[in-house]
Amino acid sequence: MTTPSRRDRLRPVELLGISAIVAVFTGLVVLFATRELQLALIFLGVAFIVVVVVLAMLQLASTSDQDDNDMLGGHKTPGEGDGDDFH
C-alpha cells in the first residue's frame, strides 16, 4: 500500500477552509442585514456544517473508476479485457 501524497493529505484542510470562508461570508451578510450577532453566529455555524456536508458528498460522488479499482485491489485499468467477457 502506498502512502498518500501531500495533496491527498491536505485535501480535507482545503475543504474545511472553503467551508469556513463561505460560513464567514454568510455570517457577515446576516450580521450586516440584521445587526444581531447571535443570529449571525447561528447562520455562520449552520452554513459551515451544510457546506462541509455538501462538499464531502460531492467528493464521494466524484471518485473515478481508477480510484475504485485501486480500492478494490485491482491492477487493471477499466476497459482492459481479460478474456472473460460474457457478451
Side-chain angles (χ1 to χ4, degrees):
M1 181 173 213
T2 62
T3 59
S5 67
R6 181 178 176 157
R7 178 168 172 79
D8 289 337
R9 285 184 281 134
L10 291 179
R11 186 171 295 165
V13 176
E14 292 173 4
L15 295 177
L16 290 176
I18 292 169
S19 300
I21 291 169
V22 171
V24 168
F25 176 76
T26 303
L28 287 174
V29 168
V30 171
L31 180 64
F32 290 147
T34 64
R35 302 283 185 203
E36 293 186 28
L37 182 61
Q38 186 176 7
L39 186 64
L41 290 175
I42 291 170
F43 271 81
L44 185 141
V46 169
F48 180 77
I49 292 169
V50 167
V51 173
V52 165
V53 169
V54 167
L55 288 177
M57 298 281 271
L58 288 173
Q59 186 174 6
L60 284 173
S62 69
T63 59
S64 68
D65 290 337
Q66 184 63 37
D67 291 339
D68 292 340
N69 194 18
D70 290 343
M71 285 191 300
L72 295 173
H75 299 289
K76 295 182 180 179
T77 58
E80 266 187 32
D82 57 356
D84 291 335
D85 295 332
F86 293 111
H87 294 155

